[in-house]
Amino acid sequence: MSWVEMKVRGLREEAEGILGLELCPLNDDGLPFSWTPGAHVDLQLGSGLVRQYSLTNLAEEGCLRLAIKREPDSRGGSQWLHEQLRLGSRMQVGVPRNLFALAPGTAPVVLLAAGIGVTPLLAMYRACRAQQRPVHLYYFSRSRAQSAFLDELRTQPDVSLFSGLSSVEIALRLPALLANRQPDSLLYSCGPAGFMDCVFESARAVGWPSEVLYREHFQTHLQAPEHAAANQAQRVQLWLAKSGKQVAVNSGETLVAAAARVGVEITTSCGMGMCGACMTRVVSGEVDHHDQYLSDAERASGEWIMPCVSSCSSNALVLDL
Ligand code: FES
């Protein structure tokens, strides 16, 4: 991964427990990279941790804006950012990556966010508005006090805000919100896994085809899955198509570790199948998925693998590396 040193130019309380962070280039030459709505960045924290956060602003603004919720049970990432950052602090920021891209074009877009999952959807919302593309954002939060970007969102005509609803109440509301789909509409959802499952179930029930449903896990809410360390149980031959290398994967070894033995580095971050950093294209072979990141459709396609945790159920696996 490529890293860029940036400075903190803005810090503000976006909502209760949510830190708004603005990161800008060290000089005024503009960003040395481009990015698109739905992208996230990796932040190197002083404690040696690396964490991913979605970008919320318009790419044309020349800086990066993020919103970070303080997670009491996090492994130290959000707590460090809330407590240690000061105006002028410098940080190593990974070049943005987008694993949740908004499809280009003019098709209407429906966005459903829960909690801090609003962050990538806010970037999509702002981009759609700027392009005069039809969009509607539904934003569910625990309370008004915990709703980020409220000052902006409450003035928008195509935003619906809900706070204080239980998961059962949300589930009861969704079918009506998702009914009457406009032709070609696309649906993007971000929030806790249970919320996104409920959104997709409701959408399918009222006629949305699966191929227009897109989701992103809100990484810092996810707990490491019990099977996250389920590494390769049987001996498999791993072929790396681009580099022309092959390696036998040892029992209990991850595909990332096996590739590293023959000099092929796969970018990783969480190492638990949650962040998407290691997402790799599969050329051939049967994947045994153990991640929390891919959608059902992506898994069924057999095109992608998260090699930090997933393995192979056939004797050979060929990756596009
Ligand atoms: S490193 Fe995060 S999903 Fe593999």
Side-chain angles (χ1 to χ4, degrees):
M1 179 178 305
S2 303
W3 297 93
V4 176
E5 189 172 32
M6 301 184 78
K7 68 180 174 215
V8 175
R9 197 176 72 179
L11 283 173
R12 54 174 280 178
E13 188 179 26
E14 283 299 348
E16 193 178 290
I18 298 177
L19 173 72
L21 171 62
E22 185 180 17
L23 294 168
C24 298
L26 296 185
N27 50 42
D28 293 326
D29 293 346
L31 293 171
F33 47 72
S34 59
W35 60 277
T36 52
H40 68 272
V41 288
D42 291 64
L43 299 183
Q44 280 186 25
L45 313 185
S47 46
L49 296 171
V50 174
R51 289 287 179 270
Q52 298 82 38
Y53 296 97
S54 296
L55 301 173
T56 65
N57 56 320
L58 288 170
E60 298 76 28
E61 289 179 21
C63 287
L64 305 177
R65 283 196 274 142
L66 304 80
I68 296 155
K69 183 178 178 189
R70 187 179 193 124
E71 300 287 351
D73 349 321
S74 81
R75 290 172 292 151
S78 65
Q79 189 179 337
W80 187 91
L81 289 160
H82 275 250
E83 293 176 1
Q84 302 299 323
L85 286 187
R86 300 286 180 271
L87 286 177
S89 298
R90 293 187 175 196
M91 301 194 73
Q92 291 294 327
V93 180
V95 169
R97 291 177 287 145
N98 200 340
L99 301 168
F100 185 50
L102 178 64
T106 56
V109 175
V110 175
L111 308 169
L112 285 109
I116 198 66
V118 72
T119 50
L121 300 190
L122 182 59
M124 293 182 181
Y125 173 79
R126 287 168 163 160
C128 288
R129 293 279 298 164
Q131 296 159 14
Q132 299 184 319
R133 180 175 182 173
V135 62
H136 198 106
L137 170 64
Y138 298 94
Y139 175 20
F140 297 84
S141 60
R142 283 199 185 142
S143 68
R144 285 281 159 142
Q146 292 170 295
S147 304
F149 313 106
L150 211 48
D151 289 348
E152 173 186 349
L153 294 178
R154 63 167 38 126
T155 64
Q156 302 295 323
D158 40 19
V159 171
S160 300
L161 303 170
F162 304 88
S163 56
L165 298 181
S166 68
S167 52
V168 172
E169 290 169 323
I170 292 173
L172 290 172
R173 295 239 181 164
L174 286 172
L177 301 180
L178 295 168
N180 305 319
R181 172 179 179 250
Q182 292 179 51
D184 304 326
S185 291
L186 309 173
L187 187 155
Y188 294 80
S189 183
C190 186
F195 170 78
M196 292 188 291
D197 288 345
C198 188
V199 166
F200 277 25
E201 213 171 283
S202 304
R204 289 193 192 101
V206 295
W208 289 72
S210 293
E211 57 271 23
V212 301
L213 307 178
Y214 302 90
R215 63 194 272 158
E216 179 168 78
H217 292 290
F218 167 44
Q219 295 94 356
T220 56
H221 267 171
L222 292 174
Q223 300 299 316
E226 284 176 17
H227 51 239
N231 302 326
Q232 194 62 52
Q234 65 181 47
R235 206 160 168 83
V236 159
Q237 197 68 19
L238 175 63
W239 298 77
L240 306 169
K242 279 186 185 144
S243 53
K245 294 185 176 172
Q246 59 170 302
V247 59
V249 184
N250 295 321
S251 174
E253 184 179 38
T254 65
L255 298 174
V256 169
R261 281 198 285 117
V262 289
V264 176
E265 293 299 327
I266 303 175
T267 299
T268 61
S269 186
C270 69
M272 294 188 292
M274 299 193 298
C275 72
C278 65
M279 190 168 168
T280 301
R281 193 176 287 278
V282 176
V283 178
S284 67
E286 294 291 322
V287 178
D288 181 14
H289 294 284
H290 290 276
D291 64 280
Q292 294 272 298
Y293 189 83
L294 295 175
S295 66
D296 292 344
E298 286 166 335
R299 287 177 187 206
S301 75
E303 280 184 43
W304 299 101
I305 186 171
M306 315 307 290
C308 66
V309 291
S310 295
S311 52
C312 172
S313 51
S314 51
N315 292 332
L317 180 67
V318 185
L319 299 181
D320 190 25
L321 289 168

